[in-house]
């Protein structure tokens, strides 16, 4: 893990966004790998494919594995784990005495390129992100395949989409979480069309994606990494 020094940033929720404060945290340098998750399910039988309840993972959960404790023939140990639900990812992190990052923590860390903590204004950086969104099967690439960013973290962009702890809190209007699907459709359909630059469009895609998934979904291009709180405010 590496330390990400906290600060403020403006999330691209919409035109009326305000600055959000992000506390310092520790974040995994790489996404969780197939091997790491394999060891986890061996130690926690309730998360094996044959044991997991549908409420906590859909039928795609670890569907490319040969069995409960054997990876698929085409899966490598050092590629990111995918086909895991939010519930499984959350429990994995908790078993490591860690947690999933919040959306703001993830976005704050992911603003960085190799040189700057916030590279969102760079056209080349946003072109790289959008190019990845259009590239198939990047989940088969091993961890560390992308650049090392300002904080010392790899693969926030370029490998797999990643779960956040509060993924279903985006784009909610009023007091009801039932608004998520409606708002995500509006957000994707109107805000993205009105985007004036690549930075906004890339962010719109991430927020729309998060607003369209459910906690028991297990998808082939969706993985995760963990973070840990820091108690020392002097960092």
């Amino acid at each position: 893990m590496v330390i990400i020094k906290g600060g403020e940033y403006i999330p691209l929720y919409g035109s009326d966004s305000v600055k959000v404060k992000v506390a310092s945290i520790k974040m995994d340098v790489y996404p969780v790998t197939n091997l790491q998750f394999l060891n986890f399910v061996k130690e926690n039988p309730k998360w094996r494919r044959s044991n997991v309840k549908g409420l906590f993972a859909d039928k795609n959960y670890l569907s490319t594995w040969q069995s409960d404790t054997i990876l698929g023939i085409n899966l490598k140990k050092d590629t990111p784990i995918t086909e895991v639900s939010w519930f499984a990812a959350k429990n994995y992190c908790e078993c490591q005495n860690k947690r999933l990052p919040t959306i703001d923590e993830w976005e704050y860390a992911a603003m960085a390129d190799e040189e700057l903590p916030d590279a969102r204004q760079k056209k080349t950086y946003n072109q790289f992100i959008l190019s990845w969104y259009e590239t198939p099967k990047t989940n088969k690439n091993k961890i560390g395949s992308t650049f090392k960013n300002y904080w010392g973290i790899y693969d926030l962009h370029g490998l797999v989409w990643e779960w956040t702890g509060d993924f279903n809190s985006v784009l909610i209007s009023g007091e009801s979480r039932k608004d998520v699907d409606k708002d995500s459709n509006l957000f994707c359909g109107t805000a993205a069309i009105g985007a004036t630059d690549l930075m906004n469009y890339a962010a719109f895609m991430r927020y729309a994606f998060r607003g369209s998934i459910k906690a028991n979904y297990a998808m082939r291009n969706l993985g995760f990494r963990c973070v840990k709180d820091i108690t020392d405010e002097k960092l």
Side-chain angles (χ1 to χ4, degrees):
M1 305 188 84
V2 294
I3 293 175
I4 300 174
K5 188 175 181 180
E8 293 182 333
Y9 88 115
I10 299 177
L12 297 176
Y13 301 142
S15 59
D16 59 347
S17 296
V18 296
K19 286 186 178 181
V20 172
K21 185 176 181 180
V22 177
S24 297
I25 56 170
K26 288 184 178 180
M27 178 176 278
D28 286 349
V29 173
Y30 304 105
V32 175
T33 65
N34 286 319
L35 178 59
Q36 289 173 318
F37 200 79
L38 174 63
N39 291 333
F40 168 71
V41 298
K42 286 180 177 178
E43 296 174 1
N44 298 272
K46 70 177 181 179
W47 290 110
R48 295 179 185 179
R49 186 175 63 187
S50 63
N51 293 337
V52 70
K53 299 182 183 299
L55 179 66
F56 301 119
D58 66 16
K59 63 182 180 179
N60 295 316
Y61 180 74
L62 304 180
S63 62
T64 54
W65 286 28
Q66 294 186 65
S67 70
D68 280 349
T69 57
I70 301 178
L71 296 176
I73 296 174
N74 296 319
L75 295 179
K76 299 178 180 179
K77 294 180 179 179
D78 59 354
T79 56
I81 183 66
T82 59
E83 298 180 331
V84 293
S85 66
W86 176 86
F87 293 105
K90 178 176 181 290
N91 193 249
Y92 174 95
C93 293
E94 289 171 350
C95 287
Q96 317 301 315
N97 293 316
K98 303 177 185 180
R99 60 174 173 82
L100 288 171
T102 66
I103 291 172
D104 287 325
E105 289 168 343
W106 193 96
E107 289 288 330
Y108 181 82
M111 296 189 306
D113 67 355
E114 297 97 327
E115 301 173 345
L116 298 173
D118 185 356
R120 291 180 299 173
Q121 296 292 342
K122 283 188 177 181
K123 185 176 181 180
T124 54
Y125 183 52
N126 291 287
Q127 285 176 330
F128 165 77
I129 296 172
L130 290 172
S131 177
W132 163 50
Y133 291 166
E134 298 176 350
T135 305
K137 300 180 180 179
T138 55
N139 59 297
K140 294 185 177 182
N141 297 333
K142 67 179 182 179
I143 60 169
S145 295
T146 69
F147 64 91
K148 179 181 180 181
N149 80 1
Y150 175 88
W151 303 109
I153 300 171
Y154 290 85
D155 308 324
L156 286 168
H157 302 291
L159 224 56
V160 294
W161 299 78
E162 297 185 7
W163 284 110
T164 60
D166 56 345
F167 76 95
N168 58 355
S169 68
V170 299
L171 311 175
I172 299 177
S173 64
E175 299 179 352
S176 174
R177 290 182 177 272
K178 294 181 180 179
D179 288 341
V180 171
D181 290 340
K182 178 185 69 176
D183 282 2
S184 65
N185 290 333
L186 289 172
F187 188 78
C188 185
T190 59
I193 290 174
T196 57
D197 56 52
L198 298 178
M199 176 180 73
N200 283 333
Y201 189 70
F204 288 148
M205 291 184 69
R206 289 195 296 277
Y207 286 109
F209 172 75
R210 292 177 181 128
S212 69
I213 57 178
K214 297 180 180 179
N216 70 334
Y217 282 12
M219 305 170 67
R220 195 164 295 183
N221 63 344
L222 180 57
F224 70 99
R225 74 181 70 213
C226 310
V227 301
K228 197 168 187 177
D229 294 315
I230 296 177
T231 56
D232 187 355
E233 296 297 331
K234 296 180 181 180
L235 290 173

